[in-house]
Amino acid sequence: MPSRRTVLTATAGVTAGLAVGTGAHALGSDDTNSEDKNADDKKLRALIARMSLAEKVGQLFVMRVYGHSATDPDQADIDANLKEIGVRTAAELIAKYRVGGIIYFTWTHNTRDPRQIAELSNGIQRASLAQPRGLPVLIATDQEHGAVCRIGRPATLFPGAMAMGAGGSRTDARTLGRISGAELRAMGVRQDYSPDADVNVNPANPIIGVRSFGAGPDAVGALVAAEVQGYRDAGVAATVKHFPGHGDTAVDSHTGFPVITHSRELWEKLDAVPFRAAIAAGVDSVMTAHIQFPALDGSGDPATLSHPVLTGILRGELGYDGVVVTDSLGMAGVRTKYGDDRVPVLALKAGVDQLLDPPAPDVAWNAVLKAVQGGELTESRLDESILRILRLKSRLGLLERPYVQTKDVGRVVGTAQHLAAADRIAERTTTLLVNEGGLLPLSRRTHGKVLVVGADPASPSGTTGPPTGVLATALTELGFTATALSTGTDPSAADVDKAAAAAQGADAVVVGTYNVTAGGAQQHLVERLVATGRPVVAVAVRNPYDVAQLPTVKACLATYSWTDVELRAAARVIAGTAAPHGRLPVPVQRADDPAQVLYPIGHGLTY
């Protein structure tokens, strides 16, 4: 494998002539005049003209690969790569398919720690640039914060989107994008599949929910635009998703094929608003949704494969000319109607540029190749998408500086300043929904002994968890004597009995809830705790809708996610060292009559 110096020397003639910008200031279509753009495009088109058809096909794909190293992964990851992809390593993947992008996941073991991630990124770039006419790879991940994160501690983890919606601060959203972007860039990740621009108007939505900023399209649009601007500040491509809008569905597109029944008029007023705001803010990429939207396309095709949706509306009506990336092609929503050999071809015909994570890379790659060779796709159609992809790589500085300095990772990722910013932002998102009799804040003098019980869902990537333990530790650090007792998301009768008995010896009980259902075990647990006569504080650690199922609690907080940063902020609010400032970004309906609103958008108490 050639050294970094050798690779840079070999590619210097190409990259020096193609670089459009050297940092964050070079991002966005408004940063260079038309004459400069034409000159830059001319250079990029010349590069495309030198590519073979196979190389062009590869540029369109963003693929997964197992392993912490580009050339020396663990044996288990080699085995997984051979089974699923037909190669041993990331370097072999690049050599075989000449991929334009790679996506990092936790479950593919790409994200052990920041320095390792940076070294993996450099290894990927080294492998790609060593190929004939090699180009830098656009490395991406889903770092939404909150419930979905691929890179955990010691990286800075912020509150999730719905929590940010509760905070309502565009400044905080831009700060999140700027800090998250700076840390990702330091690790060699230049494209983030965030923020979520879906307007979550369906409380039963199983896949979006707290990943959305809220139910108000204008509020969502403002925060989406601010976060996009923050990523632009950092020199990372933000990606808004899931176009044309995934906020009103009761089906998870990972496992089914959702249908959105909004009228075209409602789509304009609701779903389209945040995407228009993102485009106006200069967003670099848009991710498609594997949903059926009959009002926009009556063919029954998913939006990912819809020419009327992607070319007609997104590019034509909304005027977007940036990169369009599919959601994962391994999801059921895009595979229901067509086979894995047809999906990538149809996506390109619809107007897609990047084909993300195909379940069988060889099938997808060869399908596109054969579609061009057989005349179904033209090479010029591929060239259009490759030009957009190369424009993005150039704007991100990849063509000039593809490598990161591993020695600098610790100076950027998870710094004290960044972590403090996340803590401050989290405090502004915690929402106090109920506080009868002024129970909160708890006094250490009168309620010094606290039992923390409740749900302990698996923690989002890279946080310590479990939630009961994080809350108990934080309260102890704030001067309480707190003990944790996990009862899980479906507590048994024995679990409930044990918790009720433990509550008898406490001055107050904090119970974490996670998606409470009417008549469910969590609801029964809370009722038993209230029946002990001890003051009970409920903390809804995911959906704020839990409060509707907990009519007997004297106090209830919403954190919108169960990451450490949000739980620690909730502990400070409970202890009174921070005041609650969050306001509901979604309405909460009554449990006994969902047509009636129990708490409207904007509800939130303080002290």
Side-chain angles (χ1 to χ4, degrees):
M1 187 62 62
S3 68
R4 176 175 182 271
R5 186 186 189 96
T6 302
V7 171
L8 287 175
T9 301
T11 59
V14 175
T15 58
L18 290 174
V20 173
T22 58
H25 69 276
L27 291 173
S29 59
D30 57 345
D31 294 328
T32 54
N33 62 43
S34 59
E35 186 176 330
D36 289 339
K37 285 185 203 173
N38 290 337
D40 294 330
D41 275 2
K42 185 176 180 180
K43 296 172 185 175
L44 295 175
R45 290 182 195 277
L47 178 58
I48 294 170
R50 293 197 293 270
M51 298 168 68
S52 69
L53 176 57
E55 290 165 1
K56 290 181 178 182
V57 172
Q59 277 296 304
L60 305 174
F61 282 93
V62 182
M63 294 188 187
R64 70 187 181 280
V65 65
Y66 289 85
H68 71 286
S69 165
T71 56
D72 189 27
D74 294 340
Q75 186 61 48
D77 292 324
I78 291 174
D79 295 341
N81 283 329
L82 287 170
K83 180 180 178 181
E84 295 183 19
I85 311 173
V87 298
R88 294 167 52 84
T89 67
E92 289 183 12
L93 172 73
I94 291 165
K96 182 174 182 179
Y97 294 110
R98 300 301 296 273
V99 295
I102 284 179
I103 179 172
Y104 287 168
F105 291 109
T106 310
W107 54 269
T108 51
H109 310 139
N110 303 137
T111 57
R112 287 183 178 176
D113 63 74
R115 187 180 180 91
Q116 166 269 318
I117 296 168
E119 291 171 347
L120 172 60
S121 298
N122 281 346
I124 286 169
Q125 302 298 2
R126 193 173 295 116
S128 187
L129 291 167
Q131 298 298 316
R133 297 170 300 280
L135 288 169
V137 173
L138 183 54
I139 297 171
T141 198
D142 294 279
Q143 194 79 347
E144 295 180 16
H145 296 275
V148 177
C149 264
R150 309 303 186 201
I151 300 172
R153 296 179 63 191
T156 304
L157 299 176
F158 284 89
M162 192 171 284
M164 298 299 292
S169 169
R170 286 177 288 182
T171 298
D172 286 350
R174 187 163 184 167
T175 298
L176 183 157
R178 177 177 52 79
I179 292 177
S180 177
E183 296 196 2
L184 289 172
R185 188 178 174 99
M187 293 180 279
V189 179
R190 304 292 185 95
Q191 185 176 23
D192 189 11
Y193 297 140
S194 184
D196 194 306
D198 300 311
V199 183
N200 197 78
V201 293
N202 188 342
N205 195 321
I207 186 58
I208 304 302
V210 295
R211 297 168 62 195
S212 162
F213 286 107
D218 292 331
V220 171
L223 294 174
V224 164
E227 191 170 313
V228 166
Q229 289 164 346
Y231 279 106
R232 281 170 54 91
D233 294 342
V236 166
T239 306
V240 289
K241 57 189 185 184
H242 307 79
F243 189 83
H246 208 315
D248 188 9
T249 173
V251 175
D252 182 350
S253 54
H254 289 83
T255 56
F257 189 15
V259 179
I260 304 292
T261 58
H262 293 181
S263 66
R264 173 63 192 248
E265 182 182 19
L266 181 57
W267 177 81
E268 289 279 4
K269 294 179 179 178
L270 187 74
D271 307 281
V273 173
F275 290 101
R276 290 186 187 275
I279 291 168
V283 70
D284 281 296
S285 50
V286 174
M287 180 178 284
T288 67
H290 303 327
I291 57 173
Q292 187 182 158
F293 211 128
L296 304 184
D297 180 357
S299 70
D301 287 345
T304 296
L305 309 182
S306 170
H307 190 275
V309 170
L310 300 186
T311 297
I313 297 175
L314 179 57
R315 295 215 188 277
E317 296 179 23
L318 273 59
Y320 179 68
D321 192 37
V323 170
V324 175
V325 56
T326 71
D327 206 341
S328 170
L329 297 183
M331 293 165 58
V334 78
R335 303 173 74 190
T336 300
K337 191 174 177 182
Y338 301 100
D340 292 337
D341 59 333
R342 295 300 299 152
V343 166
V345 175
L346 295 173
L348 291 170
K349 292 176 74 171
V352 159
D353 301 307
Q354 288 184 309
L355 301 162
L356 176 62
D357 192 28
D362 60 330
V363 171
W365 190 91
N366 280 296
V368 175
L369 184 69
K370 290 174 183 176
V372 179
Q373 292 170 336
E376 183 178 6
L377 285 171
T378 65
E379 199 163 343
S380 63
R381 168 64 192 89
L382 269 58
D383 293 350
E384 292 174 12
S385 286
I386 295 167
L387 179 59
R388 292 190 187 101
I389 293 166
L390 292 184
R391 281 175 181 159
L392 178 54
K393 290 182 179 183
S394 184
R395 285 202 299 273
L396 295 171
L398 268 173
L399 297 181
E400 184 178 63
R401 291 195 305 276
Y403 298 100
V404 295
Q405 297 294 322
T406 55
K407 62 181 175 59
D408 294 336
V409 172
R411 303 172 191 169
V412 178
V413 179
T415 65
Q417 183 181 14
H418 289 178
L419 295 173
D423 280 335
R424 289 193 300 270
I425 289 172
E427 285 182 357
R428 295 191 279 270
T429 70
T430 306
T431 307
L432 180 59
L433 300 174
V434 178
N435 194 23
E436 293 182 12
L439 173 60
L440 293 180
L442 292 181
S443 165
R444 288 184 293 274
R445 181 173 52 82
T446 57
H447 298 94
K449 193 173 182 181
V450 178
L451 174 68
V452 182
V453 301
D456 273 333
S459 291
S461 297
T463 63
T464 56
T468 54
V470 174
L471 282 168
T473 298
L475 288 169
T476 298
E477 291 172 351
L478 291 165
F480 293 85
T481 301
T483 55
L485 175 62
S486 175
T487 50
T489 56
D490 188 23
S492 66
D495 293 328
V496 173
D497 289 343
K498 185 176 181 180
Q504 298 289 351
D507 299 321
V509 179
V510 173
V511 54
T513 67
Y514 184 95
N515 298 354
V516 180
T517 57
Q522 288 188 69
Q523 188 183 62
H524 179 55
L525 168 68
V526 174
E527 290 171 350
R528 282 286 304 278
L529 292 171
V530 170
T532 66
R534 298 297 187 270
V536 175
V537 179
V539 181
V541 300
R542 183 167 184 151
N543 289 323
Y545 313 113
D546 284 5
V547 66
Q549 304 291 347
L550 307 173
T552 60
V553 297
K554 299 298 184 184
C556 184
L557 293 166
T559 65
Y560 311 96
S561 190
W562 57 110
T563 52
D564 295 2
V565 68
E566 289 156 301
L567 295 173
R568 290 196 306 266
R572 292 193 292 275
V573 168
I574 291 169
T577 60
H581 295 291
R583 299 288 182 267
L584 275 175
V586 294
V588 174
Q589 284 82 19
R590 292 174 58 98
D592 57 351
D593 184 4
Q596 301 296 318
V597 173
L598 178 63
Y599 297 114
I601 291 177
H603 172 76
L605 309 174
T606 192
Y607 41 78

